[in-house]
Amino acid sequence: MAISQLQVPSWLEPFARLLRGDRPGEQIVKVLRHVGLPLLGMALFLMLWQSGAAHVNTSLGQLPGPAQVWEQAGNLKDEHFAEREKAVAFYQRQEARNAERMAENPDAKPRPIRGYTGKPTFLDQIGTSLKTVMSGFVLASLIAIPLGIAIGLSGALYSAVNPLVQVFKPVSPLAWLPLVTIVVAAVYTSPEPMFAKSYVVSVLTVMLCSLWPTLINTAVGVTSVSTDLNNVSKVLRLTWLEHIRKIVLPASVPMIFTGLRLSLGTAWMVLIAAEMLAQNPGLGKFVWDEFQNGSSQSLGRIMVAVLTIGLIGYVLDRCMLGLQRWVSWDKNAITR
Amino acid sequence: MAALLDITGVSIEFKTDKGPFKALDNVNLKIAEGEYVSLIGHSGCGKSTVLNIVAGLLQATTGGVVLEGKEVNEPGPERAVVFQNHSLLPWLTAYQNVELAVKQVFRGQKSRAEMKEWIEYNLHLVHMDHAMHKRPDEISGGMKQRVGIARALAMQPKVLLMDEPFGALDALTRAHLQDSLMEIQRELNNTVIMITHDVDEAVLLSDRIVMMTNGPAATIGEILSIELDRPRDRLALADDPQYNHYRHEVLRFLYEKQRKTDDSSAGRKPPSTNTSAATTASVADEDSAKSVTAESVSAVVTPLHKKHVA
Ligand SMILES: Nc1ncnc2c1ncn2[C@@H]1O[C@H](COP(=O)(O)OP(=O)(O)OP(=O)(O)O)[C@@H](O)[C@H]1O
Ligand SMILES: [Mg+2]
């Protein structure tokens, strides 16, 4: 395994072979297929976008093409750093004032430093969304995996839980959200809350929606542990816990990961919707604010957000895939 | 000699959708220590069921199994099982698969170093030293089965139970493994119950062949003692009249006395157009074809294998 990991990544292999002069004709075809075709697809898409956008006139002006969107991405980045500088300056001013006062009167107590309350930038919103989605996803997994194992092991529990799963699984996040919001408002009432209410609402909504793929796949993974392996466990007289730890869990790892990947995808989709509807900080709120704002730049900024959301979703999926490759013994189960 | 294993009056009924199904009826068998017994019979007659009852994986409806004076009522490592489809844990290497069993059986009895030595010794017995750190998906079917046997041997069972251990292998690999098994038997002299479909395999390996009647309510039809000197050599035995006599005895039982037909009511001749008659013929043909290949192959295999062992 160590050796195969040291090899070049598969998409680089044709290049490496080309350099080595290993059947050049074949390698060129491979390069064209794996690098040329995606580039061609991308170029075609950009051209269509550019020419199509020119014909769409909205209340906020013409639909932006790729160039304008790129420009907005740059603006958003600049705004972020400008905001950071402002924050730094803000703190420096306070410290300077404190120092001055101490110089005048050494007995005076320094005033407490006030926190900077600027508007969160696009990058801040990305950070918030990522933190929220991971919290919801981890929480969902912590519930779904043990529950899935229990359901998979016990036919009775399966019969009891299955109807509930089937009913709750298709519920849209938009339906959960009002309910969660009200319940959190009623139940989560500590005077000094550790987490913001909006964060708790988003996390719970994400959890409620992303629970099911992991739950179902884990249960299926556990039920499909072969009778032969179960018999091995019986012949060895493994205790219940050892049976779970040494047979059931490893045997269902591939299915658990399939579920986790689906769950993370769902979690990300759900989160954006939840943030948008509930005005909870994050990328969804960014999109909503731009929509309400309705300046000439808004469309471009929304498009930047859409592309960012897509890109992050893709990266999250790749990360899960990488983790699955690393952890799972069944290398054949992982295709795409 | 007192019997090590005593199967007495075993019957079993499965509950099915169509009511109870009596698979076995009054099976009686005594097996002495160090004896190698084969179970042979048509598919579906209940061989695996007998083995699973001895293993403790199934409970007999009436009757029971006694091992060294103690009744068997749950599975345990003193009755290790080699399954038809190796049933190795795919996420563990060959070594780790055996290790799982050894740690479980010898916990508190062997030190870490002793366990390692014991695992390696058993893998060596089945000629798997060179690939013991490979995972099941990295080794061939025959090698997987070898590891499965090593795992069972490593439990140091009182009775070794094997359900068609070589059933899924090609003739060449099967011959290799049979030779390995005979070699191991010479060294360890285990008590073995093996299920097989292969007449040659049964005669070559066994001290006794237990032939089962067709189900439902299958039982033991005949028992054939194989009195051939050990070590047995498949090449020399091919022309041995005694060996061929045993083969014919088993074949006669399977294809004359226990013809596998859908129409099981005795005395009624199936109509010539009946497909079951055709099926019977093809089964017989298949078997003779198989035994011919096994023999012709063994001529090539044995010297090769000897070389491999040496
Ligand atoms: N759990 C079960 N429930 C119902 N019927 C069963 C069960 N297990 C086995 N049987 C039936 O009992 C009979 C004997 O089955 P068994 O698996 O022991 O046959 P076998 O001789 O091992 O066949 P093969 O050579 O094909 O492996 C078959 O008719 C089978 O359908
Ligand atoms: Mg069977």
Side-chain angles (χ1 to χ4, degrees), chain B residues 42-49 51-52 84 163-164 195 197:
Chain B
H42 285 289
S43 184
C45 71
K47 304 181 294 293
S48 297
T49 309
L51 200 84
N52 285 338
Q84 177 168 2
D163 193 346
E164 294 183 46
I195 294 177
H197 273 134

Side-chain angles (χ1 to χ4, degrees), chain A residues 152 216-226 248 251-253 255-256:
Chain A
I216 292 166
N217 278 284
T218 305
V220 170
V222 171
T223 25
S224 52
V225 175
S226 77
V248 172
S252 31
V253 152
M255 281 303 275
I256 292 179

